[in-house]
Amino acid sequence: MSIGTTSTVITPPSAAAAAGEARARTLTIWAGRSTVVIGVVHIAVFLVQTWSSWGDWLTGRLHGPTAIEDPANLDSLRLFWALPGSFAVPLVLLGLLFIRMARTGQEVPRYLGWTLAAWVILCGWILEPSGFLLGLVPTALLLLAHRARRTG
């Protein structure tokens, strides 16, 4: 050994720790998959409902503050926030990120699961009935993955 260097001894994880890590990885992958499914289903449902408005949106009917405030555009504006302006696409991307993190052995921060849970509960309480409460599935899986990693 040279001066100024230290040797690093890597101890293999215990069987319990390895099992907890494997369980956490599986739970996180399923959290990601369920998040992707929720986002894709949201896009599919609202794509059908908003189909008639896409022409208006792409031609610039909602450009400018006067267009947004125009009562004639109210329905088009409402439909805009249901799909292209919604969180569906970022939700799919977040789910894919969860899956990638799990497959590379990274841990999704616990605050993310708790924040998503709070957001889902608040939105579900404000807008009931809605599909928001489906978001409790991936949030519960993320929190269970964190717990499995800690207890394993």
Side-chain angles (χ1 to χ4, degrees):
M1 179 179 313
S2 303
I3 297 176
T5 62
T6 59
S7 65
T8 305
V9 178
I10 300 174
T11 58
S14 68
E21 187 66 33
R23 179 167 159 68
R25 178 177 289 175
T26 301
L27 289 167
T28 304
I29 288 173
W30 279 105
R33 288 175 179 167
S34 61
T35 302
V36 169
V37 167
I38 291 168
V40 168
V41 168
H42 179 90
I43 291 168
V45 166
F46 284 99
L47 187 61
V48 171
Q49 293 181 13
T50 62
W51 190 254
S52 62
S53 297
W54 280 88
D56 291 342
W57 298 336
L58 296 175
T59 58
R61 183 173 176 184
L62 296 180
H63 286 192
T66 55
I68 292 172
E69 294 170 2
D70 185 357
N73 291 335
L74 187 60
D75 196 45
S76 181
L77 189 61
R78 178 186 61 82
L79 290 173
F80 171 80
W81 288 111
L83 185 58
S86 75
F87 284 102
V89 171
L91 195 63
V92 170
L93 295 174
L94 186 63
L96 293 173
L97 181 63
F98 290 163
I99 294 168
R100 178 172 174 87
M101 288 179 75
R103 289 186 176 157
T104 58
Q106 296 174 315
E107 181 177 358
V108 175
R110 184 171 44 172
Y111 68 82
L112 194 56
W114 283 113
T115 304
L116 283 173
W119 177 67
V120 162
I121 290 168
L122 176 66
C123 291
W125 179 72
I126 291 171
L127 185 64
E128 183 59 37
S130 72
F132 270 106
L133 295 181
L134 290 174
L136 291 176
V137 172
T139 58
L141 291 170
L142 288 174
L143 295 172
L144 287 170
H146 181 76
R147 185 176 192 165
R149 195 173 262 116
R150 296 295 171 247
T151 59

